[in-house]
Amino acid sequence: MATGLMKTIGAGELRSDHVGSVVTLAGWIARRRDHGGVIFVDIRDSSGIVQVVLNPEDAPASEETLHGLRLEYCVQIEGSVRPRPEGTVNPDLPSGAIEVVASTITVLSPADALPFQLDDRTDVDESLRLQYRYLDMRRSRMAENLKARSQAIRAMRRVMDDQGFLEVETPTLIASTPEGARDMLVPSRLREGNFYALPQSPQLFKQLLMIGGVERYYQVAKCYRDEDFRADRQIEFTQLDFEGSFWGQDDVLAVLEEVAARVVADLRDAPIELPIQRLTYADAMARFGSDKPDLRFDMELIDISAVFASTEFKAFAGVLGEGGSVQAINAGNLALARSGLDAQVARAQELGAKGLVWMVVEDDGGLRSPVAKFLSDSEKAALIDACDGQPGDTLLIIADRTKTVRNILGQLRLDHGQPEGHEELAFAFVTDFPVFDVDDDGNLSPAHHPFTAPADIDEMVTSPETAISRSYDLVLNGSELGSGSVRIHDPIIQAKVFEVMNISSEVAEERFGWFLEALRYGTPPHAGFAIGIDRFVSILRGEPNIREIIPFPKTQTGADPLTGSPSKVEEVQLQELGIQIRPEVLEAWALREAEQQD
Ligand code: ASP
C-alpha cells in the first residue's frame, strides 16, 4: 500500500523478509494481551494485522501510556521486526511468522468504549452495525467486502476502457423515466411546486448519448427506485450501465461475457466457462418455471398432461379440460415421512397452489400416494417413465393454469435443489422476453421498459399479449444480475409502443415529447445493458443480502440509523419549497413521539 508520511509499511505487509528492518506502523489496536510486564498488541490497518511487543524495559512509552492503551486506540509505532519465538508462530496470519518490537508508541487518537466487539466471532445486531458502520467496517467481513466491491468495479472499468467506451456522467436530478418503479422525488425551490425525479436509471440519457454520437458509453451509475425493501433490493443502488451504437444483442452479450469473466477472475480463483449459456424466456419458464433459473442443478419441470389425457381422476381431468396443465418435478429421494409429505402440500398452498399431489416411487416400481387408487396402471407406469422415477424418488405434481403451475413448481424446485454454499457459479443469458407483462385482469405493462424494441412491430400491435421483445437478462445462480435490450430507434415505432401501452399521444408528447423529437434526428440503432453491481458482488462473496456489500445501506424500513435519514426538515425549508405537511401527518408524528417517550 502507499503508506503516506506517518508510516513506512502496512501492518499486514510484514513478512519474514523484513526481519531486522526498522519500521514505522500506524493503525488501530485490534487486540491487547497484558502478560505481566510485557504487553502484546495486534496492530491493524487496511492492509492487515501484525503483532507488536511492548516491553516497558525498552521504554517505548511511559507506564501510564502503556497501561492506558485500549482497544481501537489509533496509534503510531516505531520498532524492529524479529522472528516470533518458536512455538508462537501463527500460521493463520500472513504476518504470523514475525513480530515488531516497539521502540516508541504514540497515541494518535484514543477511542471510547466500543458499542460492540470488533472481532468476527461476535454476532452483532444489524441495526447496531449500521449505526456504527464506521466501526463495523474495521471488522474483516466488511473490510473484505468493500475491497471486493472495489475490485469488481475496477475490473469492469478495465473492460470498458479496453473496449473504447467513454465514461460519461448523467444528471441525477431529472424528469421521471419510466422503469416500472415509483420515483423518488426532490422538490424544486426555484420552481415551487415542481419536482425533480432521481433517476431509476440513466436510460434515456444514455440513449441521448447514442443520438449524440458517443457510440460507446458507460457509467457506474447510482439508481433510485422507491420500492419495498427485500434482501436484494435497496432504494438506492449501483449499476454498471452501458450502451453501444450500431449494435445488436450479440454485441451486448459479448461485452457482458468479458465483464463477467474479468470480475470473476479477480474475485474468485476459478475462471468461468465461456460462452455463457443462453436460453429463451419461453424455455426458461417451461423448463425451470422461472425467468431467472438457478442452473446449478437440473430438476426440470416435466409436463405430464399427455399422461393424463383421458384420466378418470377428476382433479386432473378438470384442469386439463379447462386448458390448464399437469406438471411435476422429481425432487429425488427426500425420504420424508407422511408428515413431511403433508408439509409439502402446505408449502405449495402457501405459494398459491390449490393443492399438490405427492407420489413416492416404491421399490417394486409402484406408487405410494393418496391419489394412487384413482390412477390406472398404465398412467402410473407412464408417469414414472416420464419423470424417470427411481425407487425412493418423490414426485411433486401440480395441476392448474400453466402459468400458476410453472410458478409454483419453479419455487418448489428451488426448495429441493438449492445447493449448499456459493462456490459454484451458473451464469445464463435469458433472451426473447415478452414485450408486455399481462396481469390477471388483462392489463399490459412493459416487461422491460417502454424503449425496448419489439421483435416484430406488427405482432406487437395485433397480439401484444404474446409479442416477443429484443430484450435479455443476465442471470447468476437464480438471481437476475441485470437486463438490457435492443432499443427502439424509430420515433414512429416508439409512439406505437406508447399507444399499445395505453399512453395517449397527448400524454406521450407531454412527458416524452423531447425524447420523441430527439429520435427524429438520425438515431443510430443501439442496444445496451445495466448490471446490478451490489447483487453481483454479494453473490460472488456468498453474502445473503446486498446490504453487506453496500458501504452505507438503508435498513429494511428505508432508514439510515447512522445519520438518521430520512428526517424532518426545518419549517423554513418547507416554506421555501412551497410545501406544507398535511395535518393528519403532523398528528401521526406527535402520536409516535408521545409513544416513544412513554
Ligand atoms: N435501464 C435498464 C435498467 O435499469 C437497463 C437497460 O435497459 O440498459 O434495468
Side-chain angles (χ1 to χ4, degrees):
M1 76 192 243
T3 50
L5 292 176
M6 298 186 81
K7 58 168 104 176
T8 58
I9 190 163
E13 294 173 316
L14 288 168
R15 300 285 181 274
S16 300
D17 292 353
H18 297 102
V19 165
S21 52
V22 173
V23 293
T24 307
L25 305 174
W28 292 264
I29 297 183
R31 278 179 80 192
R32 179 179 182 283
R33 296 175 299 284
D34 207 328
H35 280 233
V38 180
I39 300 169
F40 289 89
V41 290
D42 283 355
I43 295 297
R44 181 194 64 239
D45 65 13
S46 61
S47 67
I49 284 184
V50 73
Q51 174 166 291
V52 171
V53 187
L54 300 164
N55 190 341
E57 285 177 10
D58 299 336
S62 71
E63 285 276 317
E64 203 188 331
T65 305
L66 284 185
H67 290 293
L69 292 174
R70 295 283 170 264
L71 290 181
E72 298 307 315
Y73 271 35
C74 182
V75 295
Q76 185 186 39
I77 283 167
E78 263 172 39
S80 55
V81 184
R82 73 175 186 202
R84 286 204 197 184
E86 260 200 60
T88 64
V89 168
N90 179 353
D92 296 333
L93 202 63
S95 69
I98 51 98
E99 60 192 10
V100 174
V101 185
S103 54
T104 64
I105 175 164
T106 312
V107 173
L108 301 173
S109 269
D112 282 359
L114 300 168
F116 52 85
Q117 291 297 317
L118 300 195
D119 60 61
D120 287 309
R121 292 178 300 278
T122 314
D123 208 11
V124 184
D125 176 62
E126 195 187 15
S127 67
L128 195 61
R129 287 177 57 204
L130 293 183
Q131 185 182 348
Y132 294 95
R133 192 57 145 187
Y134 49 89
L135 294 178
D136 188 38
M137 59 177 67
R138 291 186 192 171
R139 305 163 95 201
S140 66
R141 177 183 187 179
M142 275 310 295
E144 292 303 318
N145 284 348
L146 291 186
K147 276 184 204 156
R149 183 188 180 94
S150 167
Q151 278 170 344
I153 294 176
R154 200 181 320 143
M156 292 174 179
R157 286 191 195 280
R158 268 207 325 269
V159 176
M160 295 290 134
D161 284 347
D162 290 353
Q163 301 204 11
F165 284 75
L166 199 68
E167 181 171 6
V168 186
E169 284 169 90
T170 53
T172 53
L173 294 174
I174 65 167
S176 126
T177 310
E179 294 266 358
R182 200 177 287 121
D183 282 321
M184 306 284 300
L185 298 176
V186 180
S188 158
R189 179 180 60 83
L190 295 177
R191 289 193 176 213
E192 262 191 2
N194 287 287
F195 292 83
Y196 300 100
L198 298 178
Q200 294 188 30
S201 86
Q203 185 60 35
L204 289 183
F205 285 97
K206 65 176 171 175
Q207 294 194 239
L208 293 179
L209 290 171
M210 297 302 104
I211 299 172
V214 169
E215 290 198 36
R216 297 275 179 285
Y217 141 89
Y218 87 97
Q219 177 178 199
V220 175
K222 269 290 173 82
C223 303
Y224 305 85
R225 296 183 192 175
D226 192 0
E227 298 179 310
D228 290 338
F229 280 74
R230 294 193 218 146
D232 60 354
R233 291 249 168 105
Q234 284 268 307
I235 41 179
E236 183 180 348
F237 59 97
T238 312
Q239 291 184 337
L240 172 70
D241 188 49
F242 65 90
E243 194 81 9
S245 287
F246 311 109
W247 258 14
Q249 168 177 300
D250 286 353
D251 299 292
V252 177
L253 302 193
V255 172
L256 284 168
E257 284 184 334
E258 189 64 29
V259 168
R262 291 254 202 127
V263 171
V264 172
D266 283 8
L267 265 64
R268 292 286 192 91
D269 291 334
I272 65 167
E273 255 177 58
L274 292 179
I276 290 175
Q277 64 168 303
R278 297 182 187 194
L279 66 173
T280 63
Y281 170 86
D283 256 1
M285 295 306 293
R287 292 171 56 195
F288 305 101
S290 167
D291 60 359
K292 40 178 189 295
D294 191 335
L295 299 180
R296 286 174 294 177
F297 58 95
D298 294 332
M299 206 183 283
E300 296 194 16
L301 276 51
I302 307 155
D303 193 334
I304 46 174
S305 305
V307 170
F308 300 106
S310 46
T311 187
E312 309 260 301
F313 180 45
K314 288 213 180 68
F316 288 178
V319 164
L320 291 173
E322 284 167 17
S325 62
V326 185
Q327 302 199 27
I329 53 172
N330 182 343
N333 193 336
L334 299 182
L336 291 177
R338 180 66 195 241
S339 58
L341 291 161
D342 288 341
Q344 296 303 313
V345 180
R347 166 76 177 138
Q349 282 166 340
E350 182 187 298
L351 293 170
K354 289 190 206 77
L356 169 131
V357 172
W358 55 260
M359 300 196 187
V360 179
V361 182
E362 294 187 302
D363 288 342
D364 61 4
L367 279 174
R368 177 162 58 90
S369 168
V371 309
K373 55 180 175 290
F374 302 114
L375 307 184
S376 70
D377 285 347
S378 66
E379 280 171 345
K380 286 186 211 165
L383 173 62
I384 294 175
D385 188 45
C387 298
D388 189 22
Q390 306 299 319
D393 282 353
T394 302
L395 313 180
L396 302 176
I397 301 174
I398 302 273
D400 209 317
R401 286 169 51 209
T402 302
K403 193 172 163 187
T404 311
V405 171
R406 287 176 172 169
N407 177 17
I408 292 162
L409 283 181
Q411 297 190 67
L412 293 178
R413 174 182 178 269
L414 293 181
D415 286 355
H416 297 291
Q418 208 57 273
E420 295 287 317
H422 66 281
E423 288 313 314
E424 200 186 333
L425 297 177
F427 285 95
F429 289 127
V430 179
T431 63
D432 303 86
F433 275 76
V435 180
F436 298 109
D437 286 332
V438 190
D439 70 15
D440 287 340
D441 301 326
N443 298 320
L444 302 179
S445 59
H448 189 37
H449 52 60
F451 311 101
T452 298
D456 178 333
I457 180 70
D458 296 329
E459 182 198 15
M460 190 201 72
V461 174
T462 53
S463 34
E465 298 83 8
T466 52
I468 303 289
S469 73
R470 300 175 69 191
S471 65
Y472 33 77
D473 276 6
L474 175 61
V475 171
L476 173 58
N477 292 2
S479 285
E480 178 203 315
L481 287 191
S483 22
S485 58
V486 175
R487 322 298 183 187
I488 297 166
H489 66 278
D490 175 341
I492 296 172
I493 296 185
Q494 184 65 70
K496 259 195 190 147
V497 170
F498 286 146
E499 209 179 291
V500 177
M501 279 168 52
N502 274 335
I503 299 182
S504 70
S505 52
E506 293 78 42
V507 173
E509 194 51 43
E510 191 191 309
R511 286 191 65 193
F512 307 114
W514 55 275
F515 184 68
L516 291 171
E517 182 184 5
L519 286 177
R520 291 200 294 268
Y521 291 98
T523 301
H526 57 287
F529 201 87
I531 305 182
I533 293 178
D534 315 292
R535 204 176 288 170
F536 192 8
V537 178
S538 72
I539 296 174
L540 292 179
R541 295 285 304 160
E543 286 290 5
N545 77 59
I546 62 171
R547 296 191 295 281
E548 299 298 344
I549 299 301
I550 299 177
F552 298 101
K554 309 276 185 290
T555 60
Q556 296 281 52
T557 52
D560 173 11
L562 170 53
T563 63
S565 78
S567 57
K568 293 176 188 153
V569 295
E570 300 291 330
E571 183 55 37
V572 26
Q573 291 175 287
L574 290 177
Q575 272 169 18
E576 280 176 344
L577 296 167
I579 289 179
Q580 202 173 17
I581 309 282
R582 288 207 317 268
E584 60 268 33
V585 175
L586 292 173
E587 269 166 39
W589 283 355
L591 209 68
R592 208 174 314 139
E593 268 158 29
E595 270 170 20
Q596 275 162 5
Q597 269 162 20
D598 283 350

